[in-house]
Amino acid sequence: PNTITIIANYIPFESPDGAPNFYDFGTNVRYEIHIKNKASTAGDDITYRFTFSKVNQDPTTFFYIRLGQQNLKTTYKCEKSTDGGNTFTTIVANGVVPPANVGPRSIEDKTVGLGASSYDALAQQAIANASTGEKVFCGPVDDPFFVDLAGAFDVGNFRPEGNAVNSPKDALNRFNVHTIAIKVPINLLQKDGKSVAQAATILDPDYVIGVWASASRQMIQTLYAGADIGNDGKFVQVSRLGMPLTNEAVIPIGMKDKWNAASPYGGED
């Protein structure tokens, strides 16, 4: 009751065994969670920024995991700003993203795999304790939504619940997403640092926050010989997440890029 868990999901329809190019967070991307708790300020009051790095532990193999080594092993840095994004402080310096759940031999085998007791154990080990009191997890998880996409996007041909002839089907069943999850003590989110016990009522307006998430890329990408890639210039927002299915089911197709590039501040939405 004294914490809020904020979740941003990226990359839908991931198959855990989607070899050889497994899904992962981008390395030249700023993933950010934006929090608004004061009506008197112009932009973010709290910003969490995530940047990811990858290393190939065994360049001699095409396997994702082999002999205790992991190709494309991903780590991250989480930074926090409380001054509108002017300055950031690192609160998780070397977070670990668990690998995809390829299969029991890769995850559990002590000779050819990682030797973990279970995949759940790997995920639990990846939960980081931030220096400012938050708990953080970044990695692949089962997509939590039930969405009958075949009905929704067949010109709104929704299949009613309980229909035995053509029942609704979860199009996201057995697919993963990549999740950024932060469990935050409420006093860190409340504008004056107050705890839940200090709220006047359950509807105390001083405890209302707004939350949205984004992903940003640098403006310039250069392709060099030997498949080298350079990224330069300022970061530009290319993805915007807020209420579930707003982008997918509300924003018209021709406006999605514009909506993804816009901020909810200053009437841009």
Side-chain angles (χ1 to χ4, degrees):
N2 296 307
T3 62
I4 293 291
T5 300
I6 301 170
I7 297 175
N9 289 332
Y10 297 86
I11 321 172
F13 292 108
E14 300 180 12
S15 175
D17 55 359
N21 301 312
F22 290 89
Y23 300 92
D24 209 345
F25 293 108
T27 55
N28 295 295
V29 180
R30 284 179 177 171
Y31 298 88
E32 294 180 328
I33 291 177
H34 310 266
I35 298 166
K36 188 87 185 125
N37 61 17
K38 298 175 184 174
S40 59
T41 56
D44 288 353
D45 296 306
I46 304 170
T47 310
Y48 291 98
R49 174 179 291 171
F50 294 81
T51 50
F52 294 85
S53 302
K54 297 179 187 177
V55 62
N56 188 343
Q57 293 185 313
D58 182 5
T60 67
T61 181
F62 66 88
F63 286 114
Y64 181 58
I65 293 170
R66 189 184 73 150
L67 302 176
Q69 301 294 306
Q70 183 184 331
N71 288 333
L72 304 178
K73 182 173 182 177
T74 306
T75 58
Y76 68 89
K77 177 173 67 173
C78 176
E79 301 169 279
K80 181 178 181 179
S81 173
T82 56
D83 61 2
N86 292 313
T87 60
F88 282 84
T89 300
T90 298
I91 62 172
V92 177
N94 194 34
V96 175
V97 177
N101 191 5
V102 182
R105 193 177 190 203
S106 295
I107 300 301
E108 299 173 18
D109 192 282
K110 291 180 172 56
T111 302
V112 297
L114 295 177
S117 59
S118 67
Y119 187 78
D120 285 345
L122 276 184
Q124 288 292 326
Q125 293 168 13
I127 299 174
N129 293 307
S131 60
T132 43
E134 299 89 345
K135 288 185 179 292
V136 183
F137 173 84
C138 298
V141 300
D142 180 49
D143 195 313
F145 282 102
F146 182 105
V147 179
D148 186 7
L149 291 176
F153 288 95
D154 182 22
V155 201
N157 185 24
F158 295 100
R159 294 176 279 196
E161 184 178 358
N163 179 1
V165 177
N166 189 16
S167 61
K169 298 172 179 62
D170 183 10
L172 304 176
N173 185 38
R174 301 183 67 83
F175 284 109
N176 281 355
V177 291
H178 262 68
T179 284
I180 295 175
I182 314 176
K183 186 176 182 180
V184 190
I186 285 176
N187 67 290
L188 297 182
L189 297 174
Q190 203 277 337
K191 63 182 182 179
D192 298 314
K194 294 179 180 179
S195 67
V196 174
Q198 294 174 275
T201 69
I202 196 172
L203 299 176
D204 190 329
D206 284 341
Y207 286 75
V208 174
I209 62 171
V211 182
W212 61 289
S214 67
S216 301
R217 292 183 178 275
Q218 286 178 281
M219 292 179 65
I220 302 170
Q221 185 178 83
T222 306
L223 304 180
Y224 297 100
D228 290 334
I229 299 176
N231 293 277
D232 303 283
K234 72 174 184 178
F235 280 84
V236 177
Q237 182 181 307
V238 296
S239 172
R240 172 183 171 189
L241 301 169
M243 296 294 290
L245 297 180
T246 298
N247 188 1
E248 295 83 354
V250 177
I251 305 301
I253 288 178
M255 297 292 289
K256 290 187 187 297
D257 286 344
K258 181 177 180 180
W259 190 87
N260 272 311
S263 163
Y265 303 135
E268 294 180 27
D269 58 345

